[in-house]
Amino acid sequence: QTVTVDDYETVAEIFNRVNTGGRPLSEGDLIMGALAARWPGHPATDGQPAIRGGRQHIEDFEAELVAKNWPINREVLLRIMSVLALETPNHTRLLELAKAEEWQAGWARTVDAVNHATGFLKNDAGIPGRSLLPTEYVVLLPAVFLERTNGAFATPQDRDALVRWVLLASAFGHYSGSLETTLASDINTWRDSAGEEALGQLLKAAQDPRTPDTSLTAEDLAGKTRRSPFLKLLQIAAVAGDAKSWWSHRSITDDPDHRGMGVEIHHVFPQNWLKKNGLGGHVELDTLANFAFLSKHDNIKISDGDPASYLKEADTDELRSQWIPIDSALWTVD
């Protein structure tokens, strides 16, 4: 069969249906193929150094982000570039860029935008690494916002509003539905409005259909498991509050490389302990209500110990920093 079509999403779908036994082809793969052709590199020759092509520039930047604990999916990077170059998050539109100079200019802006965004998320929003974001698509809006302003905010209120947007968009799964539609709506709001007005509209959309500025209640958190976006926000709050692991007294971070200090989710009432006491089917056994963050070493030390015993050995301030009530009557099986 011969198919003549300019729709690259259709091309990707055809490839994936035919290529069922091989590696799936994403839209980003198509874009990278065009990038390699339109922004080529050259190997070193006699007397001439090698020239990096577009693919090498992107791969090198991805390695830099990994080294900074901020690995970002290539599809997200290409969407940011598409917004900056063409004002649309539909990254297949990048295939409209025919000249190497257009790709180079768009990529240079993307690098600046992502560096601004990761710095903002780490230093202003208090999110130390990518692993604490429920979805990396929340990087896109701060990136294009700060690229437009060269990394500056008009007022402290604008900075706080963007921090709030990141947390709300993460908490309520803003991009968990129709990604393309939601991204396009956010970018249209950002493009068509300015500063405070745009941020107000974006904040409202991030928590829709909730009434803006509605406080969370116990009912909002009841029954939420480790799959809930609230778990990441709980760890962000623990980091921001300088929470400590209860025996090692080390700060809670998201660094997985510390030997024995990598943070794990600890069940305050251990699962095996609950089962021994006839509560193996308790509805809150594996939910936020029963979670704390401890180092791997401390988590192993507690194992399936009785909370009425082991919590007595912990520092009360360190318990409070992870919202554990210090009334020992609440630590018993009943």
Side-chain angles (χ1 to χ4, degrees):
Q1 298 183 48
T2 301
V3 179
T4 303
V5 62
D6 285 335
D7 184 349
Y8 282 88
E9 294 181 23
T10 301
V11 172
E13 183 179 359
I14 291 170
F15 181 91
N16 287 333
R17 289 190 182 190
V18 173
N19 185 43
T20 54
R23 178 182 179 277
L25 180 70
S26 70
E27 293 170 13
D29 291 324
L30 288 169
I31 297 165
M32 291 296 287
L35 172 64
R38 298 173 191 175
W39 181 7
H42 301 285
T45 57
D46 294 339
Q48 297 295 326
I51 298 176
R52 291 187 301 163
R55 177 181 288 274
Q56 188 63 53
H57 276 275
I58 290 179
E59 291 174 350
D60 288 350
F61 186 58
E62 287 174 324
E64 290 177 23
L65 291 172
V66 169
K68 293 194 298 185
N69 203 23
W70 276 97
I72 296 177
N73 186 289
R74 185 175 297 177
E75 301 277 332
V76 179
L77 296 176
L78 292 173
R79 287 184 187 275
I80 293 171
M81 181 176 172
S82 182
V83 173
L84 297 175
L86 298 164
E87 295 196 346
T88 173
N90 180 2
H91 54 328
T92 60
R93 291 279 305 278
L94 288 170
L95 296 164
E96 298 173 10
L97 303 180
K99 299 178 181 178
E101 293 78 11
E102 294 175 308
W103 288 91
Q104 291 166 354
W107 180 246
R109 294 179 66 187
T110 301
V111 170
D112 286 343
V114 173
N115 283 334
H116 282 312
T118 54
F120 161 77
L121 291 167
K122 180 178 180 179
N123 301 318
D124 296 280
I127 303 173
R130 156 68 187 95
S131 65
L132 292 189
L133 288 178
T135 171
E136 56 199 320
Y137 277 100
V138 297
V139 175
L140 188 145
L141 194 67
V144 298
F145 186 98
L146 290 168
E147 197 274 342
R148 173 189 277 183
T149 64
N150 197 29
F153 290 99
T155 66
Q157 290 74 27
D158 283 355
R159 177 200 60 220
D160 294 344
L162 191 57
V163 169
R164 185 171 176 80
W165 179 88
V166 169
L167 298 177
L168 286 170
S170 298
F172 296 110
H174 184 54
Y175 293 120
S176 61
S178 175
L179 177 63
E180 295 286 349
T181 302
T182 306
L183 283 172
S185 177
D186 286 347
I187 293 305
N188 288 337
T189 299
W190 162 79
R191 182 185 59 213
D192 297 339
S193 304
E196 185 177 344
E197 180 184 353
L199 286 167
Q201 294 180 45
L202 290 164
L203 281 168
K204 184 175 184 298
Q207 52 196 312
D208 189 63
R210 294 171 59 91
T211 302
D213 298 324
T214 301
S215 297
L216 287 174
T217 66
E219 287 71 27
D220 291 311
L221 302 177
K224 294 294 190 294
T225 69
R226 67 179 65 215
R227 294 185 178 184
S228 168
F230 285 126
L231 178 62
K232 299 291 189 181
L233 265 68
L234 201 65
Q235 189 170 352
I236 291 171
V239 171
D242 196 26
K244 302 291 194 296
S245 191
W246 298 334
W247 271 266
S248 61
H249 311 295
R250 295 287 298 273
S251 293
I252 298 300
T253 71
D254 69 324
D255 187 347
D257 296 326
H258 291 174
R259 295 181 62 183
M261 292 292 117
V263 173
E264 295 186 344
I265 296 172
H266 165 70
H267 290 77
V268 180
F269 289 82
Q271 296 184 79
N272 285 339
W273 182 87
L274 286 169
K275 291 175 183 176
K276 291 176 187 176
N277 287 274
L279 293 173
H282 196 284
V283 294
E284 294 288 346
L285 181 151
D286 199 34
T287 67
L288 299 184
N290 196 31
F291 290 160
F293 303 103
L294 297 184
S295 72
K296 180 178 180 180
H297 178 273
D298 291 353
N299 198 16
I300 292 173
K301 180 177 180 178
I302 291 172
S303 184
D304 58 354
D306 182 348
S309 298
Y310 81 77
L311 287 174
K312 289 180 181 178
E313 302 176 29
D315 181 88
T316 54
D317 287 337
E318 292 183 356
L319 291 178
R320 287 191 185 99
S321 72
Q322 295 209 49
W323 312 283
I324 305 298
I326 59 172
D327 179 0
S328 59
L330 298 175
W331 302 342
T332 60
V333 63
D334 55 337

